[in-house]
Amino acid sequence: MLVQTTVARRFRNTPADCNACNMEELKRFSRKEVAERSTKQQVMFIIHNQVYDVTKFLDDHPGGHEVLLDVIGKDASTDFIDIGHSSDANDIMKKYHIGEVIDEDKMTYQKAKAAWVDSERTGESANDSFLNSWKFPVVLGLLMTLLYKYIFG
């Protein structure tokens, strides 16, 4: 059974030339429906609970069509974020936005938190960090200065 209803458009920043903008409402898809309808002839996937049909973009994708074919019918949110797409890529993908995931299938996404590497977690001891700190170049510079003064001084 296909779940396909329409709801008021909620997608922010949708440009005037997007496919769904010609309609006042976006289609809603279940995750199962996206998986079942996705083939090499109709390449659909989900990014942040939004459904995209990128069939016409396959040949134009800078990373090659294989990248898009690997995520057919799946949630590609993590892959999309991991690559680090530009704002231009975000603008381009708005043209291929065709709907959103139904409320029952929506997932929550957390932004990745950047953190410094903790030396206790990596098993690095305080003695090992001397070579990775500012102290090593300072000591090396002092030694080279003394050696230069000794040889040429």
Side-chain angles (χ1 to χ4, degrees):
M1 178 175 132
L2 296 179
V3 176
Q4 189 175 31
T5 59
T6 55
V7 294
R9 188 170 74 205
R10 295 183 192 164
F11 190 71
R12 296 182 309 236
N13 302 323
T14 304
D17 59 344
C18 85
N19 294 337
C21 292
N22 296 330
M23 306 180 311
E24 280 301 314
E25 300 176 347
L26 288 177
K27 291 184 180 179
R28 299 203 28 167
F29 300 89
S30 68
R31 289 182 181 274
K32 184 178 179 182
E33 181 181 0
V34 172
E36 289 172 352
R37 290 181 58 179
S38 298
T39 64
K40 289 187 178 183
Q41 288 74 34
Q42 185 177 15
V43 179
M44 295 172 60
F45 52 76
I46 301 166
I47 298 177
H48 295 119
N49 295 318
Q50 302 301 315
V51 180
Y52 297 90
D53 183 348
V54 294
T55 308
K56 295 178 182 177
F57 186 64
L58 288 177
D59 293 331
D60 297 330
H61 188 263
H65 66 276
E66 297 88 6
V67 177
L68 298 176
L69 294 176
D70 286 343
V71 292
I72 289 177
K74 300 177 186 173
D75 190 322
S77 301
T78 304
D79 297 320
F80 186 79
I81 292 170
D82 287 348
I83 297 300
H85 285 87
S86 66
S87 59
D88 290 340
N90 290 326
D91 291 339
I92 291 170
M93 69 186 262
K94 290 174 187 173
K95 291 192 293 189
Y96 304 102
H97 180 246
I98 60 168
E100 65 182 355
V101 175
I102 60 174
D103 293 337
E104 296 82 30
D105 286 350
K106 284 191 176 180
M107 296 177 60
T108 56
Y109 300 94
Q110 295 179 1
K111 289 187 176 184
K113 295 179 182 176
W116 295 98
V117 177
D118 187 359
S119 62
E120 292 177 9
R121 283 186 167 171
T122 60
E124 218 177 39
S125 68
N127 296 337
D128 294 337
S129 65
F130 175 76
L131 294 175
N132 296 329
S133 72
W134 60 271
K135 297 172 192 171
F136 179 69
V138 171
V139 171
L140 185 62
L142 288 173
L143 287 175
M144 294 304 291
T145 303
L146 291 174
L147 182 63
Y148 181 82
K149 291 276 186 181
Y150 178 75
I151 293 174
F152 299 109

